[in-house]
Amino acid sequence: MIIGSGNVAVNLAHAFRKAGKNILCVYSRDLAKARCLAMAVDAQHTDKLEMLPDKADLFLIAVTDSAIAGVVDRLKVSEGIVAHTSGSVNLVVLNKLKAGQGVFYPLMHLSSEKIIGFKNVPLCIEANNESNLLALQQLACAISEKVFCITSDERKIIHLAAVFACNFSNLNYIISEEILKKQGLQFELLHPLIAESANKIQTASPATIMTGPAVREDYDVIAEHLKMLENVPGYKKIYQILTETIIQKKKNHEL
Amino acid sequence: MIIGSGNVAVNLAHAFRKAGKNILCVYSRDLAKARCLAMAVDAQHTDKLEMLPDKADLFLIAVTDSAIAGVVDRLKVSEGIVAHTSGSVNLVVLNKLKAGQGVFYPLMHLSSEKIIGFKNVPLCIEANNESNLLALQQLACAISEKVFCITSDERKIIHLAAVFACNFSNLNYIISEEILKKQGLQFELLHPLIAESANKIQTASPATIMTGPAVREDYDVIAEHLKMLENVPGYKKIYQILTETIIQKKKNHEL
């Protein structure tokens, strides 16, 4: 059973269908979206939560974080496991339910416009008891080779780490693109280098592959860069604090 | 002619040889390294700059930045183009020479332990006149499909942008790995997400694909993350300044 019709719902529904799992029904408050997803995965559809069949192996709540509690309040489930797909909501949001409770969190950017294969997508699962965890694990292993048992507290840590690794890295790409564009240079120049940097850390710890003026303690180049950023105080401050952090790590023999 | 036997020298020598170019001689102050590279690319070798033949299409100075001026002082070249391979040294370092002068800068991490193909490596070239630029361009196009004419000032901008895009992104990977490891979680969990983030910006501007609590202005999650970083003031400060920058960009409609 799929509750939701957004990016996560669409991708997980397709992944389960492709793995030969039978999807009984898709719920969405947007009937057209429910119908569209249901047709793609050979399921029934509804825009009324009360109309959902009350028995299934898995009820997947793939809605926005703030809507999960509301869905739980209205859900009538007598058998099976109810699992939400959020990275930051605690398992306890489900503890009013009589059915099994779990989390089924795919650690990946998902978009309903691009259905992806889940073979290499890490799935973080959690459940309210061992047998439900085992059941979720079996379902997860049917679509992914990377299944991890992760507690709600650990999921929070992973989310924080992902903000640094992905959102903050992306901000650095944005700043980089801006610096180039302002001088009429193309960001495409850096595409291969960025791809290579992200590729390297797939097999080596990022602490072992740092390059650049900070780790070399090349203070002449650093001074020149700070001068070039004189008119962009926000970026100068970011350059300073990140450079100081790298130099400090070098001095601590962490790099 | 290849002057140097480090990461850049080894990779460029192999790339030119593979493209059918004849390498006359490899110089290195380390005779064993000169011999090793020379054997691999069917060239003569020497550890005496004075022994280098004085005529060739190209004399490639692929030594560390601080050693370039010293090499130039001792170089006797009557014909051809002398080009250094540095990202941050100005073309004028070569202007004592009677021969043609240029820059041949590969915008990529290179390692002598891993010889790479140059087809997709951006080559930034510069020369002291049009005909030398044309000659360098032809040589560059023999090994790469991405050849860019870049002035010394532009090269500095590119270097600054690369510090943000690569070195600072790598610092964020390091912080992310630390946060996970401290809680006994594996950095491998984030490998697919990091690969996907770097992959996305190969076809889309990073400003169009930002995700996470800052761009959503999800102040509850941000407050929770700051609380989790309470005991690591350095990382808390980085989280704050990068988050504020993202929120400001959102408010300015840049994201």
Coordinates of all heavy atoms in Angstrom, one line a residue, chain B residues 1-73:
Chain B
M1 N 59.7 17.9 -25.5 CA 60.7 17.9 -24.4 C 59.9 18.1 -23.1 O 59.1 19.0 -22.9 CB 61.6 19.1 -24.5 CG 63.0 18.8 -24.1 SD 63.9 17.9 -25.4 CE 64.1 19.2 -26.7
I2 N 60.2 17.2 -22.1 CA 59.5 17.2 -20.8 C 60.5 17.6 -19.7 O 61.5 16.9 -19.5 CB 58.8 15.9 -20.5 CG1 57.9 15.4 -21.6 CG2 58.1 16.0 -19.2 CD1 56.5 16.1 -21.7
I3 N 60.2 18.7 -19.0 CA 61.1 19.1 -17.9 C 60.3 18.9 -16.7 O 59.3 19.6 -16.4 CB 61.5 20.6 -18.1 CG1 62.3 20.8 -19.4 CG2 62.2 21.1 -16.9 CD1 62.4 22.2 -19.8
G4 N 60.7 17.9 -15.9 CA 60.0 17.5 -14.7 C 59.7 16.0 -14.8 O 59.6 15.4 -15.9
S5 N 59.4 15.4 -13.6 CA 59.1 13.9 -13.6 C 58.0 13.6 -12.6 O 57.9 12.5 -12.1 CB 60.3 13.1 -13.4 OG 60.9 13.5 -12.1
G6 N 57.3 14.7 -12.2 CA 56.2 14.5 -11.2 C 54.9 14.2 -11.8 O 54.8 13.7 -12.9
N7 N 53.8 14.4 -11.0 CA 52.5 14.0 -11.4 C 52.0 14.5 -12.8 O 51.5 13.8 -13.6 CB 51.4 14.4 -10.4 CG 51.7 13.7 -9.0 OD1 52.2 12.6 -9.0 ND2 51.5 14.5 -8.0
V8 N 52.3 15.8 -13.0 CA 51.8 16.5 -14.2 C 52.7 16.0 -15.4 O 52.2 15.7 -16.5 CB 51.9 18.0 -14.1 CG1 51.4 18.7 -15.4 CG2 50.9 18.5 -12.9
A9 N 54.0 16.0 -15.2 CA 55.0 15.6 -16.2 C 54.6 14.2 -16.7 O 54.5 14.0 -17.9 CB 56.4 15.7 -15.7
V10 N 54.5 13.3 -15.8 CA 54.2 11.9 -16.2 C 52.9 11.7 -17.0 O 52.9 11.1 -18.0 CB 54.2 11.0 -14.9 CG1 53.6 9.6 -15.2 CG2 55.6 10.9 -14.3
N11 N 51.9 12.4 -16.5 CA 50.6 12.3 -17.2 C 50.6 12.9 -18.6 O 50.1 12.4 -19.5 CB 49.5 12.8 -16.3 CG 48.9 11.8 -15.4 OD1 48.1 10.9 -15.8 ND2 49.4 11.8 -14.1
L12 N 51.2 14.1 -18.7 CA 51.2 14.8 -20.0 C 52.1 14.1 -20.9 O 51.8 14.0 -22.1 CB 51.7 16.3 -19.8 CG 50.6 17.2 -19.3 CD1 51.1 18.6 -19.1 CD2 49.4 17.3 -20.4
A13 N 53.3 13.6 -20.5 CA 54.2 12.8 -21.3 C 53.5 11.6 -21.9 O 53.5 11.4 -23.2 CB 55.4 12.4 -20.6
H14 N 52.8 10.9 -21.1 CA 52.0 9.7 -21.6 C 50.9 10.1 -22.6 O 50.7 9.5 -23.6 CB 51.4 8.9 -20.5 CG 52.4 8.0 -19.8 ND1 53.2 8.3 -18.8 CD2 52.7 6.6 -20.1 CE1 54.0 7.3 -18.4 NE2 53.6 6.3 -19.2
A15 N 50.2 11.2 -22.3 CA 49.1 11.7 -23.2 C 49.7 12.1 -24.5 O 49.1 11.7 -25.6 CB 48.4 12.8 -22.5
F16 N 50.8 12.8 -24.6 CA 51.4 13.2 -25.9 C 51.9 12.0 -26.6 O 51.7 11.9 -27.8 CB 52.5 14.2 -25.7 CG 52.0 15.6 -25.5 CD1 52.3 16.4 -24.4 CD2 51.2 16.2 -26.5 CE1 51.8 17.7 -24.2 CE2 50.7 17.5 -26.3 CZ 51.0 18.2 -25.2
R17 N 52.5 11.1 -25.9 CA 53.1 9.9 -26.6 C 51.9 9.1 -27.2 O 52.0 8.6 -28.4 CB 53.8 9.0 -25.6 CG 54.6 7.9 -26.2 CD 55.8 8.5 -26.9 NE 56.4 7.5 -27.9 CZ 56.1 7.5 -29.2 NH1 55.3 8.4 -29.7 NH2 56.7 6.7 -30.0
K18 N 50.9 8.9 -26.4 CA 49.7 8.2 -26.9 C 49.1 8.8 -28.1 O 48.5 8.2 -29.0 CB 48.7 8.1 -25.8 CG 47.8 6.8 -25.8 CD 46.9 6.7 -24.6 CE 45.6 5.9 -25.0 NZ 44.6 6.1 -24.0
A19 N 49.2 10.2 -28.2 CA 48.6 10.9 -29.3 C 49.6 10.9 -30.5 O 49.4 11.6 -31.5 CB 48.3 12.3 -28.9
G20 N 50.7 10.1 -30.4 CA 51.6 10.0 -31.5 C 52.7 11.0 -31.6 O 53.4 11.1 -32.6
K21 N 52.8 11.8 -30.6 CA 53.8 12.9 -30.6 C 55.1 12.3 -30.1 O 55.2 11.4 -29.2 CB 53.5 14.0 -29.6 CG 52.1 14.7 -29.9 CD 52.2 15.5 -31.2 CE 50.8 16.0 -31.6 NZ 50.9 16.6 -32.9
N22 N 56.2 12.7 -30.7 CA 57.5 12.2 -30.4 C 58.2 13.1 -29.3 O 58.2 14.3 -29.4 CB 58.4 12.4 -31.7 CG 59.6 11.5 -31.6 OD1 59.7 10.6 -30.8 ND2 60.6 11.8 -32.5
I23 N 58.5 12.4 -28.2 CA 59.2 13.1 -27.1 C 60.7 12.9 -27.2 O 61.1 11.8 -27.1 CB 58.6 12.6 -25.7 CG1 57.1 13.0 -25.7 CG2 59.3 13.3 -24.6 CD1 56.3 12.4 -24.6
L24 N 61.4 14.0 -27.3 CA 62.9 13.9 -27.6 C 63.6 13.5 -26.3 O 64.4 12.6 -26.2 CB 63.4 15.2 -28.1 CG 63.0 15.6 -29.5 CD1 63.6 17.0 -29.8 CD2 63.5 14.6 -30.5
C25 N 63.3 14.2 -25.2 CA 64.1 14.0 -24.0 C 63.3 14.4 -22.7 O 62.4 15.3 -22.8 CB 65.3 14.9 -24.1 SG 66.6 14.6 -22.8
V26 N 63.5 13.7 -21.7 CA 62.9 14.0 -20.4 C 64.0 14.5 -19.4 O 65.1 13.8 -19.3 CB 62.3 12.8 -19.7 CG1 61.8 13.1 -18.3 CG2 61.1 12.3 -20.6
Y27 N 63.9 15.6 -18.8 CA 64.8 16.1 -17.8 C 64.2 16.0 -16.4 O 63.0 16.3 -16.2 CB 65.2 17.6 -18.0 CG 65.7 18.2 -16.8 CD1 67.1 18.1 -16.4 CD2 64.9 18.9 -15.9 CE1 67.6 18.7 -15.2 CE2 65.4 19.4 -14.7 CZ 66.7 19.3 -14.4 OH 67.2 19.8 -13.2
S28 N 65.0 15.5 -15.5 CA 64.6 15.6 -14.1 C 65.9 15.7 -13.3 O 66.9 15.1 -13.6 CB 63.8 14.4 -13.6 OG 63.6 14.4 -12.2
R29 N 65.9 16.5 -12.2 CA 67.1 16.5 -11.4 C 67.3 15.1 -10.7 O 68.4 14.8 -10.2 CB 67.0 17.6 -10.3 CG 65.8 17.6 -9.5 CD 65.7 18.7 -8.5 NE 64.5 18.5 -7.8 CZ 64.1 19.2 -6.7 NH1 64.8 20.2 -6.3 NH2 63.0 19.0 -6.1
D30 N 66.2 14.3 -10.7 CA 66.4 13.0 -10.2 C 66.5 12.0 -11.4 O 65.6 11.7 -12.1 CB 65.1 12.6 -9.4 CG 65.1 11.2 -8.8 OD1 65.7 10.3 -9.4 OD2 64.4 11.0 -7.8
L31 N 67.8 11.6 -11.6 CA 68.1 10.8 -12.8 C 67.3 9.6 -13.0 O 66.8 9.2 -14.1 CB 69.6 10.5 -12.9 CG 70.1 9.9 -14.2 CD1 70.0 10.9 -15.3 CD2 71.6 9.4 -14.0
A32 N 67.0 8.9 -11.9 CA 66.3 7.6 -11.9 C 64.9 7.9 -12.4 O 64.3 7.1 -13.2 CB 66.3 7.0 -10.5
K33 N 64.3 9.0 -11.9 CA 62.9 9.3 -12.3 C 62.9 9.7 -13.8 O 62.0 9.4 -14.5 CB 62.4 10.4 -11.5 CG 61.8 10.0 -10.1 CD 61.2 11.2 -9.4 CE 60.2 10.8 -8.4 NZ 59.5 12.0 -7.9
A34 N 63.9 10.5 -14.2 CA 64.0 10.9 -15.6 C 64.1 9.6 -16.5 O 63.4 9.5 -17.5 CB 65.2 11.8 -15.8
R35 N 64.9 8.7 -16.1 CA 65.1 7.5 -16.9 C 63.8 6.7 -17.0 O 63.4 6.2 -18.0 CB 66.2 6.6 -16.3 CG 66.6 5.3 -17.1 CD 67.5 4.4 -16.4 NE 68.8 5.1 -16.1 CZ 69.3 5.2 -14.9 NH1 68.7 4.6 -13.8 NH2 70.5 5.8 -14.7
C36 N 63.2 6.5 -15.8 CA 61.9 5.8 -15.8 C 60.8 6.3 -16.7 O 60.2 5.6 -17.5 CB 61.4 5.8 -14.3 SG 59.9 4.9 -14.1
L37 N 60.6 7.7 -16.6 CA 59.6 8.3 -17.5 C 60.1 8.2 -19.0 O 59.2 7.9 -19.8 CB 59.4 9.7 -17.1 CG 58.4 10.5 -18.0 CD1 57.1 9.8 -18.1 CD2 58.2 11.9 -17.4
A38 N 61.4 8.4 -19.2 CA 61.9 8.4 -20.6 C 61.7 7.0 -21.2 O 61.2 6.9 -22.4 CB 63.4 8.8 -20.6
M39 N 61.9 6.0 -20.5 CA 61.7 4.6 -21.0 C 60.3 4.4 -21.4 O 60.0 3.8 -22.4 CB 62.2 3.6 -20.0 CG 63.7 3.4 -20.0 SD 64.2 2.2 -18.7 CE 63.4 0.7 -19.4
A40 N 59.4 4.9 -20.5 CA 57.9 4.7 -20.8 C 57.4 5.4 -22.0 O 56.5 5.0 -22.6 CB 57.1 5.1 -19.6
V41 N 58.1 6.5 -22.4 CA 57.6 7.3 -23.5 C 58.6 7.3 -24.7 O 58.6 8.2 -25.5 CB 57.2 8.7 -23.1 CG1 56.0 8.7 -22.1 CG2 58.4 9.5 -22.5
D42 N 59.6 6.4 -24.7 CA 60.5 6.2 -25.8 C 61.4 7.5 -26.0 O 61.5 8.0 -27.2 CB 59.8 5.9 -27.1 CG 59.0 4.6 -27.0 OD1 59.5 3.7 -26.4 OD2 57.9 4.6 -27.5
A43 N 61.9 8.1 -24.9 CA 62.6 9.3 -25.1 C 64.1 9.2 -24.5 O 64.4 8.2 -23.8 CB 61.9 10.5 -24.3
Q44 N 64.9 10.1 -24.8 CA 66.2 10.2 -24.1 C 65.9 10.8 -22.7 O 64.8 11.3 -22.4 CB 67.2 11.2 -24.9 CG 67.4 10.7 -26.3 CD 68.2 9.4 -26.3 OE1 69.2 9.3 -25.6 NE2 67.8 8.5 -27.1
H45 N 67.0 10.8 -21.8 CA 66.8 11.4 -20.5 C 68.1 12.0 -20.1 O 69.2 11.7 -20.5 CB 66.2 10.4 -19.5 CG 67.3 9.4 -19.1 ND1 67.5 8.2 -19.9 CD2 68.1 9.3 -18.1 CE1 68.4 7.5 -19.4 NE2 68.8 8.1 -18.3
T46 N 67.9 13.0 -19.1 CA 69.1 13.7 -18.6 C 68.8 14.3 -17.2 O 67.6 14.5 -16.9 CB 69.6 14.8 -19.5 OG1 70.8 15.4 -18.9 CG2 68.6 15.8 -19.8
D47 N 69.8 14.5 -16.4 CA 69.6 15.2 -15.2 C 70.3 16.6 -15.2 O 70.5 17.2 -14.2 CB 69.9 14.4 -13.9 CG 71.4 14.1 -13.9 OD1 72.1 14.3 -14.9 OD2 71.9 13.6 -12.8
K48 N 70.8 16.9 -16.5 CA 71.4 18.2 -16.6 C 70.7 19.0 -17.6 O 70.6 18.7 -18.8 CB 72.9 18.0 -17.1 CG 73.7 17.3 -16.1 CD 75.1 17.1 -16.6 CE 75.9 16.3 -15.4 NZ 75.3 15.0 -15.1
L49 N 70.1 20.2 -17.2 CA 69.3 21.0 -18.1 C 70.1 21.4 -19.3 O 69.5 21.5 -20.4 CB 68.9 22.3 -17.3 CG 67.5 22.3 -16.7 CD1 67.2 23.6 -16.0 CD2 66.4 22.0 -17.8
E50 N 71.4 21.6 -19.1 CA 72.3 22.1 -20.2 C 72.4 21.1 -21.3 O 72.7 21.4 -22.4 CB 73.7 22.4 -19.6 CG 73.7 23.6 -18.6 CD 73.1 23.2 -17.3 OE1 73.0 22.0 -16.9 OE2 72.6 24.1 -16.6
M51 N 72.1 19.8 -21.0 CA 72.2 18.7 -22.0 C 71.0 18.6 -22.8 O 71.0 17.8 -23.8 CB 72.5 17.4 -21.3 CG 73.8 17.4 -20.5 SD 75.2 17.5 -21.6 CE 75.2 15.8 -22.3
L52 N 69.9 19.3 -22.5 CA 68.7 19.2 -23.3 C 68.9 19.7 -24.7 O 69.5 20.7 -24.9 CB 67.6 20.0 -22.7 CG 66.7 19.5 -21.6 CD1 65.6 20.5 -21.2 CD2 66.0 18.2 -22.0
P53 N 68.4 19.0 -25.7 CA 68.4 19.6 -27.1 C 67.8 21.0 -27.1 O 66.9 21.2 -26.3 CB 67.5 18.6 -27.9 CG 67.5 17.3 -27.1 CD 67.7 17.7 -25.7
D54 N 68.3 21.9 -27.9 CA 67.8 23.3 -27.8 C 66.7 23.6 -28.8 O 66.3 24.7 -28.9 CB 69.0 24.3 -27.9 CG 69.6 24.2 -29.3 OD1 69.4 23.2 -30.0 OD2 70.4 25.2 -29.6
K55 N 66.3 22.6 -29.5 CA 65.2 22.8 -30.5 C 64.1 21.7 -30.3 O 64.4 20.5 -30.3 CB 65.7 22.7 -31.9 CG 66.6 23.9 -32.3 CD 67.1 23.7 -33.8 CE 68.1 24.8 -34.1 NZ 68.8 24.6 -35.3
A56 N 62.9 22.2 -30.2 CA 61.7 21.2 -30.2 C 60.5 22.1 -30.4 O 60.5 23.3 -30.2 CB 61.7 20.5 -28.8
D57 N 59.4 21.5 -30.8 CA 58.1 22.2 -30.9 C 57.7 22.8 -29.5 O 57.3 23.9 -29.4 CB 57.0 21.3 -31.4 CG 57.2 20.9 -32.8 OD1 58.0 21.6 -33.5 OD2 56.7 19.8 -33.2
L58 N 57.9 21.9 -28.5 CA 57.4 22.3 -27.2 C 58.4 21.9 -26.1 O 58.8 20.8 -26.0 CB 56.0 21.7 -26.9 CG 55.3 22.0 -25.6 CD1 55.0 23.5 -25.5 CD2 54.1 21.1 -25.5
F59 N 58.7 22.8 -25.2 CA 59.4 22.5 -23.9 C 58.4 22.7 -22.8 O 58.0 23.8 -22.5 CB 60.6 23.5 -23.7 CG 61.7 23.3 -24.8 CD1 61.6 23.9 -26.0 CD2 62.9 22.6 -24.5 CE1 62.5 23.8 -27.0 CE2 63.9 22.5 -25.4 CZ 63.7 23.1 -26.7
L60 N 58.0 21.6 -22.2 CA 57.0 21.7 -21.2 C 57.7 21.7 -19.8 O 58.3 20.7 -19.4 CB 56.1 20.4 -21.3 CG 54.6 20.5 -21.0 CD1 54.0 21.7 -21.7 CD2 53.9 19.3 -21.4
I61 N 57.5 22.8 -19.1 CA 58.1 22.9 -17.7 C 57.0 22.5 -16.7 O 56.2 23.2 -16.3 CB 58.6 24.3 -17.4 CG1 59.5 24.9 -18.5 CG2 59.2 24.4 -16.0 CD1 60.0 26.3 -18.2
A62 N 57.1 21.2 -16.3 CA 56.1 20.6 -15.4 C 56.8 20.4 -14.1 O 57.0 19.2 -13.7 CB 55.5 19.4 -16.0
V63 N 57.2 21.5 -13.4 CA 57.8 21.4 -12.1 C 57.0 22.2 -11.1 O 56.0 22.8 -11.5 CB 59.3 21.9 -12.1 CG1 60.1 21.1 -13.1 CG2 59.3 23.4 -12.5
T64 N 57.3 22.1 -9.8 CA 56.5 22.8 -8.8 C 56.7 24.3 -9.1 O 57.7 24.8 -9.6 CB 57.0 22.6 -7.4 OG1 58.5 22.8 -7.3 CG2 56.8 21.1 -6.9
D65 N 55.6 25.1 -8.7 CA 55.5 26.5 -8.9 C 56.8 27.2 -8.6 O 57.3 28.0 -9.4 CB 54.4 27.1 -8.1 CG 53.0 26.7 -8.6 OD1 53.0 25.9 -9.6 OD2 52.0 27.2 -8.1
S66 N 57.4 27.0 -7.4 CA 58.5 27.7 -7.0 C 59.8 27.4 -7.7 O 60.8 28.2 -7.6 CB 58.7 27.5 -5.4 OG 58.9 26.1 -5.2
A67 N 59.8 26.3 -8.5 CA 61.0 25.9 -9.2 C 61.0 26.4 -10.6 O 62.1 26.3 -11.3 CB 61.2 24.4 -9.2
I68 N 59.9 27.0 -11.1 CA 59.8 27.4 -12.5 C 60.8 28.4 -12.9 O 61.6 28.3 -13.9 CB 58.4 27.9 -12.8 CG1 57.4 26.7 -12.7 CG2 58.3 28.4 -14.3 CD1 55.9 27.2 -12.8
A69 N 60.9 29.5 -12.1 CA 61.8 30.6 -12.4 C 63.3 30.1 -12.5 O 64.0 30.5 -13.4 CB 61.7 31.7 -11.3
G70 N 63.7 29.2 -11.6 CA 65.1 28.7 -11.6 C 65.3 27.9 -12.9 O 66.4 28.0 -13.5
V71 N 64.4 27.1 -13.4 CA 64.5 26.4 -14.6 C 64.7 27.3 -15.8 O 65.5 27.2 -16.6 CB 63.3 25.4 -14.8 CG1 63.3 24.9 -16.3 CG2 63.3 24.3 -13.8
V72 N 63.8 28.4 -15.8 CA 63.8 29.3 -16.9 C 65.2 30.0 -17.0 O 65.8 30.2 -18.1 CB 62.7 30.4 -16.7 CG1 62.9 31.6 -17.7 CG2 61.3 29.8 -16.8
D73 N 65.8 30.3 -15.8 CA 67.1 31.0 -15.8 C 68.2 30.1 -16.5 O 69.1 30.7 -17.1 CB 67.6 31.2 -14.4 CG 66.9 32.5 -13.8 OD1 66.4 33.3 -14.6 OD2 66.9 32.6 -12.6

